[in-house]
Amino acid sequence: MIKTLSKHIKGYVRDSVITPLFMILEVIMETIVPFVMSSMIDDGINKGDMNHILLTGSIMALCAVLGLFGGTMGGIFGARASAGFAKNLRQAMFENIQSFAFANIDKYSTAGLVTRMTTDVTNLQNAYQMLLRICFRAPVSLICAMTMTFIINAKLASVYLIAIIFLGIILAFLITKTYKYFNKVFEKYDELNASVQENVTSIRVVKAFVREEHEIKKFDKAAYNLYKLFVKAENAMVSVSPIMMLTVYGSIIAVSWLGANMIVGSELTTGELTSMLTYCMNILMSLMMLAFIFVMLTMSLASARRVAGVLNEKSILTNPQNPDYNVENGSIDFENVYFSYNKTAEKPVLSDINLSIKSGETIGIIGGTGSSKTSLVNLIGRLYDVNEGCVKVGGKDVRSYDLETLRNEVAVVLQNNVLFSGTILDNMRWGNENATDEECINACKLAFADDFIQSFPEKYNTKIEQGGTNVSGGQKQRLCIARALLKKPKILILDDSTSAVDTSTDAKIRKAFRDEIPNTTKIIISQRISSVENADRIVVMDDGIINAVGTHDELVKSCDIYNEIYSAQTSGSGDFDQKGEL
Ligand SMILES: Nc1ncnc2c1ncn2[C@@H]1O[C@H](COP(=O)(O)OP(=O)(O)OP(=O)(O)O)[C@@H](O)[C@H]1O
Ligand SMILES: [Mg+2]
């Protein structure tokens, strides 16, 4: 985990090394000051030596300036190093998430990924800054100050030693207690983010179902849980403060009393006692800082684990050793394919699939919801890998192709497709970034999107809102089809992509496909018989297996499931669907 994270300091190694050096400079200066002060009191003030006072005063001023310089520079470089580290982490995570296969994405929740990229990385950034600044500063300060006190007076120094041991034990006890709470805090953050994320992205659905009350309650609960844990953790933390103060003042009183006795017995000078008292503060403050950084680091361990988890997550689908960059044609073969999303599942989602599709053929797929239609076509573009058997495109196993090449040739209009914020042209160019305006317009004409785009005041420069909320469902589907067409793929898969388009436009789109892109293999998944009845062949899916394959006429005669759907849709029993015109 540390190895994974430390790789991302790259580019900020210099800042990371310089920061502790400046911090150490600050500590050394801080340690020198009380020592010089003791000499100023004993040899300057007490003896009335003005020159000595001036000399020691100048040294002290110089030390203070140098200390300030060290502290400031340490702060600047520390901030740069930690902000750079966070930037690298976020970039690396984002890049890795982009490479995730669908199966990897299924593993993490969106909310979980968002928390990891925001809160967790911020925690690591703070922890890293602390590490660079305080982790070096505190032990060095502790050691320097302790050494100086022992040099000045070993007997008095032992009072500090006892105080350190006492405080150390108490702090260790509190740290273990707070760590437990802070660890839970981050789990609760996930819950909170899940609530925010889900709600804000689906605010329209929430409103449509009048679920605001319920969602507000859910959010309040998540926020309250977080509050409770924070209060508990902070309560444990604040109890450190009085104990610390008690120890500091106890030590000061003990040292003052013992010191005063020693001064009377001429074993100690006034200057020495003054510097001893200053060191007292240094020692106990650094101990406190150490405890604090310890809590901070253990707290960020949970974040570190979560961030490293995403960074180390390898895409399940990888390019083969010597990938094939050429997809010969649009033929598709399923050979004894078995597939399940969860490898340990009892029943596979797809069983014993054997299907051969010729290049340029139009295939309709029909079947009840959950009958694995989407799962079947997802295997063609290698969005998931099969468990058994193989899927071939252009006569070769999909696993032998370069992923990008394969996916450029297999365009899928997903069932739940989205548009991104930007103009219509921007969205089109997701399909092909080098497409000219002409090509974009042609694709839109083919998908029968040109008509309604022309009716917008800004035509192709109309801005699409995030998620495509300012176009209708059917318009959105047609834009998504046009976007896929721009790829000029060898295989075009429409997963229920015209469900919101009226039947006559749907028919026109299919006719345009047949006339304009005859060599592209077209797979049309639909719940509507009218959308598939003119396909060369229709595949009837039922609960993960192929129930029947054939033309419309054949299936009407021989396939019960198909016949059932057909008669339900043609009997006019409350369905607005008309029979297709083509
Ligand atoms: N990402 C996933 N992780 C786990 N299980 C899934 C996933 N996607 C689908 N399933 C399961 O696989 C089965 C087949 O789902 P699939 O989406 O292929 O059906 P479908 O025929 O496309 O249905 P619909 O017509 O409603 O789109 C269902 O039982 C579903 O619960
Ligand atoms: Mg589906």
Side-chain angles (χ1 to χ4, degrees):
M1 179 176 79
I2 292 182
K3 210 169 119 202
T4 312
L5 295 180
S6 58
K7 268 195 291 201
H8 298 282
I9 302 170
K10 213 172 65 196
Y12 299 91
V13 176
R14 197 191 58 146
D15 295 330
S16 303
V17 173
I18 291 178
T19 309
L21 294 181
F22 274 118
M23 295 322 289
I24 291 171
L25 173 72
E26 186 191 14
V27 169
I28 293 174
M29 291 306 132
E30 250 177 29
T31 320
I32 294 176
V33 170
F35 197 69
V36 180
M37 191 170 68
S38 127
S39 160
M40 182 195 244
I41 295 172
D42 293 340
D43 303 330
I45 300 175
N46 286 353
K47 292 182 183 156
D49 184 347
M50 200 54 203
N51 280 344
H52 191 78
I53 294 174
L54 278 178
L55 178 72
T56 45
S58 319
I59 295 175
M60 276 163 69
L62 184 70
C63 286
V65 171
L66 279 175
L68 191 69
F69 174 71
T72 315
M73 295 312 276
I76 292 173
F77 282 103
R80 207 150 71 184
S82 58
F85 176 54
K87 181 201 77 178
N88 284 351
L89 280 180
R90 288 203 174 100
Q91 269 174 356
M93 280 167 92
F94 191 76
E95 254 173 55
N96 206 29
I97 292 172
Q98 297 298 319
S99 80
F100 277 8
F102 277 33
N104 298 90
I105 301 170
D106 290 345
K107 193 168 138 187
Y108 292 96
S109 66
T110 314
L113 287 176
V114 172
T115 321
R116 283 168 168 85
M117 289 200 52
T118 50
T119 321
D120 284 328
V121 173
T122 308
N123 275 335
L124 287 183
Q125 176 180 350
N126 289 338
Y128 188 57
Q129 191 171 13
M130 289 278 181
L131 186 81
L132 291 181
R133 293 175 56 193
I134 300 175
C135 231
F136 285 90
R137 192 187 191 289
V140 174
S141 168
L142 190 72
I143 293 167
C144 284
M146 268 319 275
T147 318
M148 293 310 274
T149 51
F150 270 98
I151 291 174
I152 296 170
N153 192 304
K155 215 157 133 194
L156 275 185
S158 50
V159 173
Y160 294 146
L161 207 58
I162 294 167
I164 287 177
I165 294 169
F166 171 71
L167 255 188
I169 293 171
I170 292 191
L171 286 176
F173 171 72
L174 285 173
I175 283 166
T176 40
K177 212 166 137 190
T178 41
Y179 172 61
K180 206 174 64 199
Y181 294 131
F182 275 119
N183 225 354
K184 279 199 198 136
V185 163
F186 292 102
E187 279 167 29
K188 294 284 167 203
Y189 259 125
D190 255 4
E191 254 173 56
L192 193 81
N193 275 355
S195 181
V196 172
Q197 205 260 342
E198 208 170 58
N199 258 284
V200 177
T201 46
S202 325
I203 187 82
R204 285 158 210 272
V205 184
V206 172
K207 290 203 172 295
F209 281 85
V210 205
R211 293 271 292 181
E212 291 101 324
E213 271 301 307
H214 174 87
E215 292 300 326
I216 289 171
K217 268 198 203 125
K218 199 165 94 183
F219 183 81
D220 281 355
K221 201 172 141 212
Y224 182 70
N225 281 339
L226 200 61
Y227 153 82
K228 263 196 333 211
L229 272 175
F230 256 123
V231 168
K232 266 191 193 160
E234 297 292 340
N235 272 350
M237 289 281 279
V238 290
S239 54
V240 173
S241 191
I243 298 173
M244 162 93 184
M245 284 306 151
L246 202 73
T247 322
V248 171
Y249 289 121
S251 310
I252 289 178
I253 291 169
V255 168
S256 305
W257 188 72
L258 284 173
N261 276 336
M262 284 178 174
I263 292 175
V264 174
S266 297
E267 282 173 66
L268 192 77
T269 65
T270 332
E272 282 168 348
L273 180 63
T274 323
S275 55
M276 282 298 276
L277 290 175
T278 318
Y279 283 128
C280 170
M281 276 318 261
N282 277 7
I283 289 170
L284 297 174
M285 278 315 283
S286 20
L287 195 67
M288 180 77 179
M289 276 188 191
L290 265 182
F292 180 65
I293 180 108
F294 198 76
V295 172
M296 182 90 193
L297 286 182
T298 36
M299 243 167 72
S300 54
L301 261 186
S303 294
R305 238 191 332 262
R306 292 154 52 90
V307 169
V310 175
L311 288 174
N312 287 334
E313 177 85 22
K314 290 260 176 320
S315 174
I316 292 179
L317 304 177
T318 46
N319 256 354
Q321 282 279 320
N322 295 309
D324 207 323
Y325 289 97
N326 182 30
V327 179
E328 202 105 324
N329 56 47
S331 68
I332 306 163
D333 296 283
F334 286 87
E335 293 177 1
N336 303 320
V337 169
Y338 284 82
F339 169 71
S340 56
Y341 290 98
N342 185 351
K343 301 278 180 260
T344 53
E346 261 178 43
K347 185 173 168 290
V349 170
L350 284 168
S351 302
D352 194 23
I353 302 289
N354 281 291
L355 181 66
S356 199
I357 300 170
K358 288 195 283 294
S359 189
E361 218 178 345
T362 301
I363 296 287
I365 302 183
I366 204 157
T369 54
S371 59
S372 303
K373 302 180 295 294
T374 301
S375 310
L376 180 78
V377 296
N378 276 347
L379 300 178
I380 302 171
R382 212 182 157 206
L383 296 175
Y384 291 93
D385 266 344
V386 295
N387 296 13
E388 269 178 59
C390 77
V391 178
K392 287 181 178 168
V393 166
K396 287 183 220 143
D397 194 323
V398 284
R399 285 167 290 197
S400 67
Y401 287 112
D402 167 58
L403 264 178
E404 202 179 321
T405 311
L406 178 73
R407 289 189 188 156
N408 275 333
E409 295 297 356
V410 181
V412 193
V413 181
L414 295 171
Q415 196 166 9
N416 312 311
N417 227 331
V418 284
L419 293 170
F420 292 82
S421 42
T423 64
I424 290 183
L425 279 179
D426 292 341
N427 266 286
M428 288 299 120
R429 293 202 171 104
W430 271 73
N432 173 5
E433 52 188 328
N434 301 317
T436 59
D437 287 4
E438 231 99 88
E439 286 174 307
C440 291
I441 295 172
N442 271 340
C444 286
K445 280 188 177 150
L446 201 55
F448 281 80
D450 186 59
D451 284 356
F452 73 83
I453 297 174
Q454 294 296 352
S455 72
F456 293 151
E458 291 184 66
K459 304 197 186 324
Y460 279 84
N461 289 320
T462 306
K463 284 240 169 343
I464 301 283
E465 301 287 327
Q466 192 185 6
T469 45
N470 58 340
V471 285
S472 80
Q475 290 172 340
K476 191 164 122 184
Q477 287 188 332
R478 278 179 274 171
L479 288 174
C480 289
I481 295 174
R483 182 171 65 183
L485 283 173
L486 262 184
K487 278 183 155 185
K488 298 208 175 79
K490 290 205 167 72
I491 299 172
L492 175 68
I493 300 170
L494 306 181
D495 189 352
D496 222 358
S497 316
T498 51
S499 58
V501 178
D502 62 274
T503 32
S504 84
T505 312
D506 184 17
K508 281 187 207 150
I509 294 175
R510 271 178 288 119
K511 180 172 173 354
F513 280 180
R514 201 162 25 180
D515 298 342
E516 308 286 332
I517 46 168
N519 298 324
T520 304
T521 311
K522 294 163 282 278
I523 298 185
I524 302 169
I525 298 182
S526 181
Q527 307 277 3
R528 281 201 299 229
I529 294 276
S530 63
S531 297
V532 295
E533 67 178 337
N534 288 295
D536 297 326
R537 279 187 297 159
I538 302 163
V539 176
V540 182
M541 292 296 297
D542 180 32
D543 201 16
I545 55 167
I546 294 181
N547 180 275
V549 184
T551 61
H552 172 71
D553 293 335
E554 286 166 9
L555 291 174
V556 170
K557 283 188 205 120
S558 62
C559 177
D560 293 343
I561 300 179
Y562 190 80
N563 220 347
E564 210 173 284
I565 308 173
Y566 181 61
S567 30
Q569 293 189 7
T570 45
S571 63
S573 52
D575 199 321
F576 290 113
D577 270 342
Q578 313 133 9
K579 204 163 170 288
E581 288 150 31
L582 292 163

